[in-house]
Amino acid sequence: MSDALKHECGIALIRLLKPLEYYKEKYGTAFYGVNKMYLMMEKQHNRGQDGAGFASIKLDTQPGERYISRVRSNAQQPIQDIFAQINGRINQELVEHPEYTDDVELQKKHIPYLGEVLLGHVRYGTFGKNSVESVHPFLRQNNWMHRNLILAGNFNMTNVNELFDNLIRLGQHPKEKADTITIMEKIGHFLDDSVAKKYKQLKAEGYSKTECSPLIAERLNVGKILKRAGKNFDGGFAMAGMLGHGDSFVLRDPAGIRPAYYYQDDEVVVVASERPVIQTVFNVDFDQVKELDPGHAIITKKSGEVKIEKILEPTERKACSFERIYFSRGSDAEIYQERKTLGKLLMPKVLETINYDTKNSVFSYIPNTAESSFYGMIESVEDYLNKRKTKAIIEGKDLSEEQVTEILKERPRIEKIAIKDAKLRTFITEDSSRDDLVEHVYDVTYGVIKNTDNIVIIDDSIVRGTTLKKSIIRMLDRLHPKRIVVVSSAPQIRYPDCYGIDMANLESLVAFRAMLSLLKDQNKYHLIEETYKKCIAQVDMKDTLVQNFVKDLYDEFTDDELSIKIAELISDDTINAEVYTIFQSVENLNKACPKNLGDWYFTGNYPTPGGNRVVNRAYINFYEGNNQRAY
């Protein structure tokens, strides 16, 4: 609960289909695309605050004119930082050259960042250092316009080592073993190969060297390049790219793990990680924004031709369920309803845990992302109370008006129990000081809880349990409730993620620690070593043959047994209240989010072969005491 989860990034691509003069005339500025990109990135800041980057390409420039601009930042507020840099440079040019003010042709020629193809990215650093060099978009430069490749993505690859080795076999010498660099160089290799072949063909047809360049742009088959490059990709990804001459693409993984949505009209082609971002920024309806199908790419040629092309064979759809529970903006129409449903589906278990004593129960939520699930939970409480009221009135004999009023008066008790101190939260950065300060991250609301009350508090998920144990449970216990019931709208998170979310090891997960504790309690700890030996035996196997033996350890216990043990782990002898934890069932999660069945965090059913290898490595690291990433 309220543990900081770093996760997949956000992408935004804008392709202006009209000349810049069109936007100046219609919208009053040639910087229409830059302004829209700022909004799209700001509306996706929830997806990444470690860094942000922007790149643009100008179409049809003359030799010697700058046509690619890029700016990246890992400042504390990176989106604001990069656009402050962009606006500062634009304003400087306009002040120094007032003749540019109403002349779009001169603006395009001389002012950077102004272009027809724009790519934005917000990043959470799930791998490597959070240096500006790690911030997307990445740029692969070349004097041939067509060979310039700009890439940004929301992805993690489970088989970076394999992809890296493939590059070496191709004769390359990659500068580092990171998935973004590896993917860019893989695409770049086949881009180079395609450009060289097109050049050779055109020369054979009798064209001069200078005549070849625009014809290469026309004939380049971006879909074919992506098909050749993507054969061995294993992971979750939505990757966006721009070629120096103006072609662009966004490619989504075959299982649909990472999200991508697009919108097209006669003015723009827009792609983003979230649907409501496009709806808001471009003022379009829900139905006008389409989801990019798994394994497909939306490709826009320099000419403005747009097509959706199947690049990789789609597999069983396993779109990330955490998108719906937590990561995506709750303003999406479908996500909002799904989160409310998650809250509703928890209520039977909640009512059972509080012994149906709604009069002496106070309902609340932490943090704000859990608000939608909270609304669903309260609606369910209200439904329960209405049934109880109806029964009391129907079965009551000769009830007075006052008695009926008293029956009808009962409502769920809703209070804002915990308030996050945002300033203090940003101050806590080092693990050594975090333990001393984390208890004070939240302020508590005094005076609303009696010692006969239950506190029912809901969150989207319980991952590590650290903030619960060191802050929230202690804070709530100061109110002297009878019982604290911690409710998670997600099931127990049992397995590491390898497709974008920063959950790379097992021992940090409170569910895994609970399982270990139960093995000790029941004299089954010998299974730990047996499972280790099974994992070691699989190290050199092909990914497709590797099994997830960690599942067998969890199968020793019921969900309820694990929930009880988790409640023990997040509490201690200093807590006076009874502490309970309630988790969503996987069945209800899939019922609430029927289009996003990627539930490997909870079930261990990974959507790609590389997933089992990652959990295998994570378990080996745990057993051997290696504090290393599993992928």
Side-chain angles (χ1 to χ4, degrees):
M1 176 175 281
S2 302
D3 290 330
L5 258 190
K6 294 188 174 183
H7 56 92
E8 66 266 19
C9 308
I11 57 172
L13 181 77
I14 297 175
R15 171 64 156 89
L16 302 179
L17 298 176
K18 304 283 190 182
L20 294 179
E21 288 81 1
Y22 172 89
Y23 304 94
K24 168 72 171 174
E25 183 177 343
K26 182 171 181 179
Y27 299 105
T29 177
F31 296 95
Y32 172 84
V34 176
N35 294 338
K36 291 296 188 184
M37 180 56 74
Y38 168 69
L39 290 171
M40 289 184 70
M41 292 175 67
E42 195 60 74
K43 294 293 183 182
Q44 293 186 103
H45 77 270
N46 56 296
R47 304 187 70 84
Q49 295 161 30
D50 286 343
F54 169 96
S56 65
I57 289 177
K58 303 175 191 281
L59 302 181
D60 300 317
T61 56
Q62 296 301 311
E65 294 179 359
R66 180 179 178 182
Y67 60 95
I68 294 177
S69 297
R70 181 177 64 141
V71 58
R72 299 179 294 171
S73 173
N74 65 338
Q76 190 169 13
Q77 294 182 310
I79 300 173
Q80 291 88 333
D81 183 45
I82 63 173
F83 281 95
Q85 294 182 53
I86 291 170
N87 290 331
R89 182 64 188 281
I90 291 171
N91 291 332
Q92 177 187 346
E93 293 289 340
L94 292 175
V95 169
E96 293 177 359
H97 301 278
E99 67 273 17
Y100 296 171
T101 302
D102 293 313
D103 192 322
V104 176
E105 184 178 349
L106 288 176
Q107 288 179 358
K108 179 176 175 180
K109 184 175 182 178
H110 296 288
I111 298 180
Y113 310 114
L114 179 63
E116 292 89 348
V117 196
L118 307 102
L119 177 59
H121 186 267
V122 291
R123 176 182 188 265
Y124 264 129
T126 59
F127 187 78
K129 297 177 181 178
N130 187 33
S131 64
V132 73
E133 288 79 15
S134 301
V135 177
H136 301 200
F138 280 33
L139 171 61
R140 188 178 191 264
Q141 290 182 291
N142 195 286
N143 271 349
W144 282 68
M145 182 179 280
H146 322 85
R147 293 186 180 184
N148 283 286
L149 173 63
I150 303 170
L151 189 73
N154 165 17
F155 57 78
N156 269 357
M157 296 296 174
T158 68
N159 62 336
V160 175
N161 291 337
E162 177 191 347
L163 296 172
F164 184 84
D165 292 342
N166 286 343
L167 290 177
I168 294 173
R169 284 194 289 271
L170 290 171
Q172 292 194 19
H173 188 91
K175 62 181 181 180
E176 61 178 285
K177 190 185 287 187
D179 51 9
T180 309
I181 293 289
T182 306
I183 294 300
M184 183 172 68
E185 293 300 336
K186 188 80 181 290
I187 296 172
H189 169 79
F190 290 106
L191 173 61
D192 289 345
D193 184 62
S194 183
V195 169
K197 287 179 178 176
K198 292 289 184 289
Y199 178 70
K200 188 175 180 180
Q201 291 169 1
L202 289 164
K203 288 289 289 179
E205 293 174 22
Y207 291 99
S208 68
K209 292 179 180 179
T210 54
E211 289 173 329
C212 287
S213 188
L215 292 171
I216 290 173
E218 290 178 15
R219 296 190 185 186
L220 264 184
N221 187 331
V222 176
K224 186 175 181 180
I225 293 168
L226 294 174
K227 286 174 185 175
R228 295 177 71 192
K231 282 182 180 178
N232 298 319
F233 290 173
D234 188 296
F237 53 86
M239 59 182 70
M242 305 189 295
L243 307 186
H245 64 276
D247 287 359
S248 63
F249 66 86
V250 176
L251 171 64
R252 191 178 183 196
D253 68 83
I257 296 170
R258 300 271 74 89
Y261 296 88
Y262 68 93
Y263 166 73
Q264 177 188 355
D265 60 22
D266 63 340
E267 294 182 353
V268 293
V269 177
V270 188
V271 188
S273 295
E274 300 198 28
R275 188 201 317 262
V277 171
I278 301 175
Q279 286 183 254
T280 300
V281 174
F282 290 89
N283 191 26
V284 294
D285 293 335
F286 178 93
D287 294 336
Q288 293 176 274
V289 182
K290 308 297 182 185
E291 184 176 2
L292 184 62
D293 288 334
H296 286 65
I298 178 168
I299 299 169
T300 306
K301 292 291 290 176
K302 175 183 177 293
S303 64
E305 176 194 358
V306 183
K307 62 178 178 178
I308 308 294
E309 184 174 349
K310 184 171 77 172
I311 304 299
L312 304 169
E313 193 62 40
T315 59
E316 183 181 3
R317 181 185 167 95
K318 289 292 182 180
C320 172
S321 57
F322 247 129
E323 281 285 340
R324 321 303 277 190
I325 297 169
Y326 176 64
F327 294 143
S328 293
R329 294 173 75 88
S331 55
D332 183 283
E334 289 183 342
I335 291 174
Y336 180 70
Q337 292 302 326
E338 288 168 8
R339 290 181 181 175
K340 286 185 68 176
T341 302
L342 287 169
K344 289 178 180 178
L345 292 172
L346 284 161
M347 274 316 296
K349 190 72 175 177
V350 171
L351 289 169
E352 181 184 327
T353 305
I354 63 173
N355 297 319
Y356 301 90
D357 183 8
T358 53
K359 276 189 177 180
N360 293 301
S361 297
V362 174
F363 298 88
S364 193
Y365 61 90
I366 300 179
N368 289 342
T369 46
E371 188 174 7
S372 300
S373 297
F374 173 75
Y375 289 151
M377 183 172 73
I378 293 304
E379 284 183 9
S380 191
V381 178
E382 289 172 342
D383 289 343
Y384 165 76
L385 288 177
N386 286 337
K387 290 177 183 176
R388 197 164 74 182
K389 293 174 192 177
T390 301
K391 183 178 180 182
I393 292 170
I394 290 174
E395 293 180 354
K397 294 181 179 179
D398 300 323
L399 291 174
S400 67
E401 182 178 337
E402 289 78 9
Q403 288 173 317
V404 172
T405 300
E406 190 63 29
I407 292 171
L408 294 175
K409 199 163 65 173
E410 186 179 355
R411 293 182 179 86
R413 292 172 60 194
I414 301 170
E415 302 290 352
K416 186 72 173 176
I417 296 294
I419 302 139
K420 196 175 199 177
D421 191 329
K423 291 181 181 179
L424 184 61
R425 178 65 168 180
T426 58
F427 172 74
I428 300 171
T429 55
E430 297 179 18
D431 289 342
S432 58
S433 61
R434 181 180 174 85
D435 287 354
D436 293 331
L437 296 171
V438 72
E439 185 175 348
H440 304 284
V441 166
Y442 287 89
D443 292 328
V444 67
T445 303
Y446 293 97
V448 295
I449 301 295
K450 304 189 294 289
N451 60 11
T452 55
D453 283 338
N454 306 304
I455 296 177
V456 178
I457 194 154
I458 188 170
D459 189 18
D460 348 80
S461 57
I462 301 172
V463 186
R464 303 178 182 96
T466 308
T467 308
L468 266 174
K469 182 178 181 68
K470 295 182 177 178
S471 175
I472 295 172
I473 297 295
R474 293 181 185 280
M475 174 193 68
L476 295 177
D477 195 54
R478 289 189 205 132
L479 302 176
H480 308 296
K482 177 178 66 176
R483 181 174 296 167
I484 300 170
V485 182
V486 181
V487 184
S488 168
S489 68
Q492 297 163 0
I493 298 169
R494 301 180 174 187
Y495 303 93
D497 181 56
C498 48
Y499 305 112
I501 301 166
D502 192 16
M503 293 191 294
N505 58 45
L506 283 166
E507 58 269 31
S508 67
L509 304 177
V510 69
F512 184 78
R513 298 198 305 273
M515 180 266 290
L516 296 180
S517 184
L518 285 171
L519 288 173
K520 287 181 181 177
D521 293 346
Q522 299 185 17
N523 296 318
K524 296 179 179 179
Y525 210 71
H526 62 278
L527 296 176
I528 296 293
E529 184 176 0
E530 292 177 15
T531 302
Y532 169 72
K533 290 177 179 177
K534 290 178 183 178
C535 290
I536 286 290
Q538 298 185 106
V539 167
D540 296 323
M541 289 184 179
K542 291 182 178 180
D543 287 353
T544 51
L545 300 176
V546 174
Q547 299 179 58
N548 181 355
F549 287 114
V550 181
K551 281 185 178 183
D552 295 341
L553 295 175
Y554 282 111
D555 287 344
E556 293 290 321
F557 311 106
T558 66
D559 292 354
D560 285 345
E561 286 178 302
L562 283 162
S563 293
I564 292 168
K565 181 57 70 172
I566 289 170
E568 290 179 19
L569 293 180
I570 62 173
S571 182
D572 58 41
D573 293 340
T574 66
I575 304 300
N576 295 311
E578 302 170 10
V579 178
Y580 294 81
T581 58
I582 296 174
F583 291 85
Q584 190 74 258
S585 69
V586 173
E587 180 184 4
N588 281 343
L589 169 67
N590 293 337
K591 186 186 297 183
C593 309
K595 296 180 183 178
N596 284 53
L597 301 178
D599 56 14
W600 58 90
Y601 321 91
F602 321 113
T603 63
N605 298 327
Y606 288 92
T608 77
N612 283 345
R613 180 170 54 80
V614 168
V615 72
N616 188 46
R617 170 49 58 189
Y619 189 84
I620 292 171
N621 288 346
F622 147 73
Y623 187 87
E624 295 179 350
N626 295 329
N627 187 24
Q628 299 175 352
R629 296 185 69 86
Y631 59 94

